[in-house]
Structure formats: structure tokens, C-alpha cells
Amino acid sequence: MRLQSCLAATISVLALLGCMDSAAESPATATTDNSAAAPADSSPAAPEIYALYGWAETYVKYAEDLNKVGIHWVRAGGWERREWADKAALLAARNGVHLTPTLMMPEISYGETMPVEDSITLWRQRVRENVQRYGPEGTIWKENADQPALPIRYWQIWN
């Protein structure tokens, strides 16, 4: 019950039900083998939750619980908080969980504004810095060479 309450209270769920196996494939490369014979018991298999949306800090806090229920992908907001982003990226790599961070610009949200040219320059810098830190050959993986690396390859642009 603790897991259900915590998830319901802190995470908006994006559930992709029964569309992938537990090998943590990319949604773009997942395949289905329809050639296998139907099992003797034809009752439908229990759906599995494959992905969630939460914040980097929330992922760190509930990573153990998410592993228990078989979460393989997490869309992580709050990525502008580097301390939590680093912790989430390293923990997810240890757990074999793929993160899809949401990149945003608080400088132009919630009533804030700046000239268009400045915001475009800042956005490019922010994307570049994140890819260079968390992507393939990223600095976080070099700084933590004693643990597994799982570079981030998918990013969401904040609305």
C-alpha cells in the first residue's frame, strides 16, 4: 500500500501496458513475436507498468520501489536541478533504468520573460551542456568510471 500511496501522491503515471518485454528495449525498436503458441491458460496476462513520469528527486527517493514493480523507463522533470539530475542519472544507470529528462527554462516560465535572442542562446547552451554531461561519452560517466554508464539518448523539450 505504501508504494501505491507514494506513487499516486507524487508521480503522474504514464503506463504503457503490455507493449514491451522486460528487456528494456527502446519503444522505437520493440518487436512482438506472434509466432509463439498461446499458453494453455488463456486468461489475459497481468499488465505491467513500463514507464512513469516523475521528477529527478522523486526517482531517487522511490527508485527501489520502482525497481520492485519493474519500471524500465522514467521521464524525469526537474532536470535543471543538477544535484538531483546527477543522482538520478547515476542511480538509474546502476538500476538499468532509462531516463528521458525534460529540459526546461525557468527563466522564461511562470510569468518570466527575456528577449527571444537571449532565450535561444540560453536554450542552446542548456541543451548542449546536458547532452555533454549525460549523453554518450558524457562527463558524468567519466567522473564516475567505477560504475555502469547508461547514457541518456532521449530528451523531452518542456512545453
Side-chain angles (χ1 to χ4, degrees):
M1 193 61 157
R2 176 182 157 253
L3 173 62
Q4 292 171 341
S5 297
C6 292
L7 291 177
T10 61
I11 299 175
S12 298
V13 178
L14 167 64
L16 304 175
L17 301 176
C19 62
M20 296 185 182
D21 66 18
S22 61
E25 295 180 47
S26 163
T29 61
T31 59
T32 303
D33 180 6
N34 293 326
S35 63
D41 177 13
S42 61
S43 61
E48 66 179 71
I49 298 174
Y50 200 82
L52 288 176
Y53 171 74
W55 292 87
E57 182 177 353
T58 305
Y59 173 73
V60 171
K61 185 175 180 179
Y62 296 108
E64 185 178 328
D65 291 333
L66 299 178
N67 285 343
K68 288 178 185 176
V69 296
I71 301 299
H72 303 288
W73 288 82
V74 173
R75 178 180 155 230
W79 209 252
E80 65 281 359
R81 298 181 196 129
R82 185 165 170 174
E83 173 190 356
W84 287 108
D86 282 0
K87 288 178 183 180
L90 294 169
L91 182 57
R94 284 195 299 274
N95 292 337
V97 171
H98 299 271
L99 295 178
T100 303
T102 302
L103 300 180
M104 68 170 289
M105 288 180 51
E107 299 85 356
I108 59 168
S109 62
Y110 307 108
E112 300 296 322
T113 188
M114 68 172 46
V116 172
E117 298 80 17
D118 295 344
S119 64
I120 291 172
T121 299
L122 181 59
W123 178 250
R124 287 178 176 161
Q125 175 187 346
R126 180 143 312 139
V127 170
R128 184 180 313 108
E129 288 171 354
N130 275 280
V131 171
Q132 289 173 345
R133 178 142 186 88
Y134 304 104
E137 304 299 321
T139 56
I140 194 167
W141 313 120
K142 293 174 185 174
E143 293 168 2
N144 296 277
D146 59 325
Q147 78 155 52
L150 188 56
I152 294 171
R153 298 179 184 273
Y154 303 97
W155 303 85
Q156 179 178 0
I157 298 171
W158 176 68
N159 57 350

